[in-house]
Amino acid sequence: METEVVLFLRRRVGETALQAALAEAFAPNMDDALIVHFPQGFATGISVICDEGFAVGRAEALSDRLESAVLLEDPRTSQWLLFTPGAAAPEAVQVIELRHGLDVAAPARMQAAAASALCA
């Protein structure tokens, strides 16, 4: 089933590279994509129509191709997933709303490492 997929890139990417990567990941729906640039946190917001079963795989491919962390709201679970280039799997994260953008709370594994360091 096709649905709106919302994702954010950690760093700004040139328009030519971004358009090529989006066309590869989301064609033929790329013409309907809405791209918004923010000055803070995840700097580029993208809304595009995509089959919800493919959204996670496409976000992972986009992260690797653009060498940027990608934040995706999973259309099936409404959970935010953080994709890091080269990582084996995405991490579930909490989103923090900034005044002019979005960021994420420390992923669970980072919180656990910090907690164990405090106990040591």
Side-chain angles (χ1 to χ4, degrees), residues 93-113:
V93 294
Q94 290 182 318
V95 170
I96 300 170
E97 291 187 33
L98 304 173
R99 185 173 182 163
H100 300 291
L102 295 177
D103 211 337
V104 295
R109 69 178 163 79
M110 292 172 68
Q111 291 174 351

Side-chain angles (χ1 to χ4, degrees), residues 14-80:
E15 287 298 319
T16 303
L18 179 59
Q19 293 293 339
L22 289 173
E24 182 179 292
F26 294 101
N29 295 320
M30 187 42 229
D31 293 338
D32 299 327
L34 172 65
I35 301 170
V36 179
H37 296 288
F38 297 98
Q40 294 179 305
F42 281 80
T44 303
I46 303 162
S47 172
V48 66
I49 302 301
C50 175
D51 185 299
E52 66 182 30
F54 294 108
V56 170
R58 291 179 181 184
E60 183 175 21
L62 195 62
S63 173
D64 288 339
R65 170 144 185 204
L66 295 175
E67 297 180 350
S68 174
V70 171
L71 182 63
L72 166 76
E73 184 178 22
D74 188 331
R76 293 180 287 182
T77 65
S78 296
Q79 182 175 30
W80 287 96

